[in-house]
Amino acid sequence: MDPTKPILEVKDLTHVYSSGTPFEHVAVEHIDLSFYPGELVGVIGHTGSGKSTLIQHLNGLLKPSSGKVLFKGEDIWKDKKFTHFIRSKVGLVFQYPEYQLFEETCFKDIAFGPRNQGVSGDELEARVRRAAGFVGLKEEWLQKSPFDLSGGQKRRVAIAGVIAMEPDVLILDEPTAGLDAAGRESILENIKAYQQAQNAAVIMVSHSMEEVARLCSRLIVMNHGSVAMDGVPAEVFTHSVELTQMGLSVPQVTTVFRLLREKGLALPADVYTVGYAVDRLLERKEGRPC
Amino acid sequence: MLKDITLGQFFPGRTVVHRLDPRTKLLLLVVYIVALFLAKSFFSYGLVLIFLVGVTLLGRIPFKSMTKGLKPMLIFIIFTAVLNLFYTKGGKLLLDWWIFEIWSDGLETAFFMVLRIMMLVCGTFLLTYTTSPIALTDGLERLLSPLKKLRVPVHELAMMMSIALRFIPTLIEETDKIISAQKARGADFETGSLIRRAKALIPILVPLFVSAFRRADELATAMECRCYHGGEGRTRLKVLRFASIDLIAFFVGGVLLAGVIVLRHFGL
Ligand SMILES: Nc1ncnc2c1ncn2[C@@H]1O[C@H](COP(=O)(O)OP(=O)(O)O)[C@@H](O)[C@H]1O
Ligand SMILES: [Mg+2]
């Protein structure tokens, strides 16, 4: 795949829910975005900013009220078959995906997606095992009922169910919501590992800044249904005041550096990880001994 | 989307019809239905229709949502019309072709039956469009409370009804989400044979049932945590009180019923 050609493009997308009823609601408005192969993109925004609505357009689950979504340059709504085909090219893991499990065993549940794609036999077996490996599912869990697993394990099974379809673009809606710190950490690592191994484009929705700051190479900030910022984390975090006004928490170290700068210290504004912060501080110390 | 089904859905508003006491509206619906069943001629149907249209206008309910609500009933309505058209004999013979006979009485009965069903459905919608489910069950509980003396568990029934009504949108939303999620995994609900389509429902139904049971369990726990123990000695946040508009509404309802009865008396 050519990394300079966008794999997914969103053109002037607007979506109105319950159009024509008293409950009409504009969820996203005039969105223009491009996603490239091999990118790990974080989408952040307060609750109700339209993140979930946006990503459900990327694999044709929602039809734009106006605007277009292009996959490798082709309109995903050009015909019914193509829309169906897109769903296996753009994998979407919903928020709380553990509530969609239905099969008797985890193996069968993970196999549901690839089977719908027409994969069978050894290839199916191999795909399920590979997907289970990516999310750190133990071999013996595969034959268990998904309803006997803990919340975190169920979530892994559900994510594996989408990964097993081997999509070119993997989208995850708040994959760490409601998990404990250890569970969050390990799912994020799994996602990162998958992205690097497959060189897939991964889009991750989150409302935790620290999470996306650490993981993603690009951040998209949504605010009231539009894209407020789009850039590398260092650039986005220089706007820490605006981010806070949008109801988003910035990493603690960014806030510390902002406060220090306000006190008159000449420190950079693009700090968002502790490691980078320590380096900058040491640099300063060496340059001008106290 | 499933969610866009407006069947009987409450449209919030502040019109006179919205502000009426739910008990008044329930009783008026009964009066309306009785009037509808007593009606026999164009004149009496016309009177009831005027009432229906008048209340619809007062409640600012778009006529479009009324007709939309009738759509699911279409097959039933057509079936009734056809049945009445061919099986009622009397009056003049209008058409005689092969095994089909249409009589003028049949035409008349079919017409009035269809009109009656449509007006019945619209009248019921008028109630649910302008009354929140909570108010509705509250009103029903109060109206039926004399039955408590006969050991009918009125409060429990009303509570069950309001819980059911409360969870319909939640479950619809949930179903929508599950359908989307399975579609994202390539599930196909629209093509294939009947058996294949029925099988395709399993990935939706299993998670739906699991989550419904989970919700029921959580709700029961939450209610017990707040010391819910049935209707005994329970007071209300909103106490229903009749106001002057209710009196006017009863008067209008009375006029409607009297009108239909008088017309009927004169054989109209
Ligand atoms: N199915 C729906 N029907 C109507 N409104 C919806 C629906 N889904 C979301 N919304 C509304 O659209 C807005 C954006 O929602 P969503 O995309 O879920 O935001 P986020 O994922 O960022 O929290 C919210 O105001 C929400 O209430
Ligand atoms: Mg969301």
Side-chain angles (χ1 to χ4, degrees):
Chain A
M1 266 181 285
D2 183 355
T4 58
K5 271 216 189 101
I7 185 158
L8 264 180
E9 285 167 278
V10 177
K11 297 220 183 263
D12 197 24
L13 171 80
T14 297
H15 190 85
V16 187
Y17 280 113
S18 312
S19 178
T21 73
F23 305 101
E24 192 169 284
H25 182 87
V26 182
V28 293
E29 238 179 329
H30 304 299
I31 300 222
D32 280 290
L33 286 170
S34 305
F35 299 98
Y36 298 87
E39 265 191 318
L40 179 47
V41 187
V43 179
I44 31 179
H46 58 86
T47 318
S49 59
K51 306 180 295 284
S52 302
T53 307
L54 169 66
I55 58 169
Q56 284 179 60
H57 282 90
L58 302 183
N59 74 338
L61 280 176
L62 288 179
K63 192 166 184 169
S65 302
S66 74
K68 269 187 187 154
V69 179
L70 309 180
F71 179 78
K72 293 189 180 163
E74 282 183 86
D75 188 349
I76 66 169
W77 284 99
K78 69 173 187 182
D79 64 51
K80 234 179 157 173
K81 267 225 177 88
F82 194 62
T83 313
H84 195 74
F85 167 74
I86 284 305
R87 304 231 168 104
S88 64
K89 288 283 150 198
V90 182
L92 174 59
V93 180
F94 269 75
Q95 196 168 3
Y96 298 110
E98 55 272 28
Y99 295 142
Q100 306 136 27
L101 302 176
F102 69 97
E103 278 284 12
E104 296 151 65
T105 66
C106 295
F107 184 96
K108 280 193 190 167
D109 208 284
I110 298 174
F112 180 68
R115 196 170 273 153
N116 285 329
Q117 286 174 299
V119 178
S120 60
D122 290 345
E123 164 77 3
L124 184 68
E125 183 104 16
R127 280 216 200 174
V128 172
R129 291 198 196 283
R130 224 174 318 155
F134 271 123
V135 296
L137 270 181
K138 292 203 196 75
E139 182 70 33
E140 69 253 33
W141 289 355
L142 285 180
Q143 295 312 323
K144 274 195 192 170
S145 158
F147 298 104
D148 291 341
L149 302 179
S150 76
Q153 292 163 342
K154 278 187 202 164
R155 175 105 26 119
R156 283 157 201 277
V157 174
I159 295 176
V162 174
I163 287 182
M165 295 168 68
E166 306 201 331
D168 291 343
V169 185
L170 178 66
I171 308 171
L172 302 113
D173 196 352
E174 311 216 4
T176 60
L179 293 185
D180 58 45
R184 269 210 302 269
E185 209 46 48
S186 89
I187 284 204
L188 290 178
E189 270 163 32
N190 295 149
I191 292 170
K192 181 95 190 170
Y194 174 80
Q195 187 260 335
Q196 281 170 350
Q198 300 281 311
N199 196 31
V202 174
I203 303 168
M204 193 178 89
V205 173
S206 173
H207 58 236
S208 157
M209 272 291 185
E210 316 250 353
E211 223 173 78
V212 286
R214 224 160 6 93
L215 211 66
C216 302
S217 52
R218 174 179 162 204
L219 294 186
I220 293 169
V221 182
M222 304 267 304
N223 191 28
H224 296 302
S226 354
V227 173
M229 297 176 204
D230 181 358
V232 294
E235 185 189 321
V236 168
F237 286 121
T238 54
H239 304 283
S240 64
V241 179
E242 287 101 310
L243 289 171
T244 318
Q245 280 165 357
M246 286 175 203
L248 295 167
S249 64
V250 293
Q252 282 175 349
V253 57
T254 309
T255 312
V256 170
F257 266 58
R258 180 173 60 81
L259 293 175
L260 286 174
R261 266 201 322 282
E262 279 169 13
K263 287 255 186 282
L265 285 168
L267 288 168
D270 61 351
V271 175
Y272 60 92
T273 59
V274 177
Y276 184 74
V278 170
D279 289 348
R280 292 291 84 76
L281 284 174
L282 286 176
E283 226 170 58
R284 223 183 111 81
K285 196 172 161 207
E286 278 154 20
R288 208 179 53 184
C290 312
Chain B
M1 274 221 244
L2 278 178
K3 225 176 151 171
D4 296 333
I5 298 175
T6 50
L7 197 67
Q9 193 187 27
F10 174 50
F11 284 95
R14 296 281 323 142
T15 69
V16 188
V17 188
H18 285 87
R19 276 182 288 135
L20 280 178
D21 190 294
R23 287 172 293 178
T24 313
K25 285 190 263 189
L26 278 163
L27 289 173
L28 274 186
L29 181 66
V30 174
V31 167
Y32 169 83
I33 291 173
V34 170
L36 194 55
F37 276 90
L38 287 177
K40 269 173 72 181
S41 67
F42 281 105
F43 296 102
S44 37
Y45 270 105
L47 192 64
V48 184
L49 196 61
I50 289 172
F51 176 78
L52 179 68
V53 173
V55 178
T56 312
L57 288 176
L58 270 180
R60 302 237 175 85
I61 302 296
F63 280 96
K64 214 174 74 190
S65 49
M66 282 283 200
T67 45
K68 221 162 136 193
L70 278 174
K71 239 186 233 161
M73 305 286 296
L74 206 61
I75 295 184
F76 178 68
I77 292 174
I78 291 173
F79 186 70
T80 315
V82 170
L83 221 60
N84 278 292
L85 193 58
F86 291 115
Y87 283 89
T88 317
K89 299 203 165 33
K92 270 199 304 208
L93 185 63
L94 297 177
L95 185 94
D96 189 357
W97 178 71
W98 193 31
I99 53 167
F100 299 110
E101 284 176 10
I102 293 181
W103 294 77
S104 62
D105 278 9
L107 199 63
E108 203 181 304
T109 328
F111 175 75
F112 281 128
M113 270 317 256
V114 168
L115 196 63
R116 185 179 284 172
I117 294 172
M118 290 196 337
M119 285 169 70
L120 200 63
V121 174
C122 286
T124 328
F125 276 159
L126 212 48
L127 176 71
T128 53
Y129 279 159
T130 59
T131 322
S132 78
I134 306 276
L136 206 57
T137 42
D138 214 11
L140 207 60
E141 184 181 345
R142 287 287 296 277
L143 278 180
L144 296 179
S145 60
L147 291 180
K148 278 182 192 158
K149 299 239 162 58
L150 301 174
R151 299 186 164 251
V152 178
V154 176
H155 170 78
E156 282 70 15
L157 289 176
M159 184 53 104
M160 272 159 64
M161 200 171 125
S162 54
I163 289 175
L165 286 172
R166 155 69 184 76
F167 277 97
I168 287 173
T170 313
L171 286 179
I172 288 181
E173 203 172 297
E174 191 116 349
T175 314
D176 252 346
K177 239 189 234 155
I178 295 171
I179 291 178
S180 299
Q182 308 298 23
K183 267 192 190 163
R185 296 209 272 165
D188 183 3
F189 307 113
E190 278 131 33
T191 56
S193 65
L194 206 60
I195 295 178
R196 238 192 89 158
R197 277 193 224 191
K199 263 195 177 158
L201 289 180
I202 294 174
I204 298 172
L205 292 180
V206 173
L208 191 62
F209 272 94
V210 170
S211 103
F213 283 125
R214 184 176 44 89
R215 274 182 202 286
D217 215 35
E218 281 168 5
L219 182 68
T221 314
M223 283 167 81
E224 267 178 16
C225 286
R226 287 188 261 170
C227 304
Y228 177 79
H229 58 83
E232 203 79 17
R234 207 173 141 78
T235 54
R236 317 203 143 267
L237 180 62
K238 271 192 194 151
V239 180
L240 292 179
R241 277 201 192 87
F242 285 118
S244 48
I245 46 169
D246 295 295
L247 217 63
I248 299 171
F250 280 128
F251 178 73
V252 174
V255 168
L256 171 74
L257 194 59
V260 172
I261 291 173
V262 168
L263 282 173
R264 193 183 160 89
H265 188 74
F266 288 109
L268 286 169

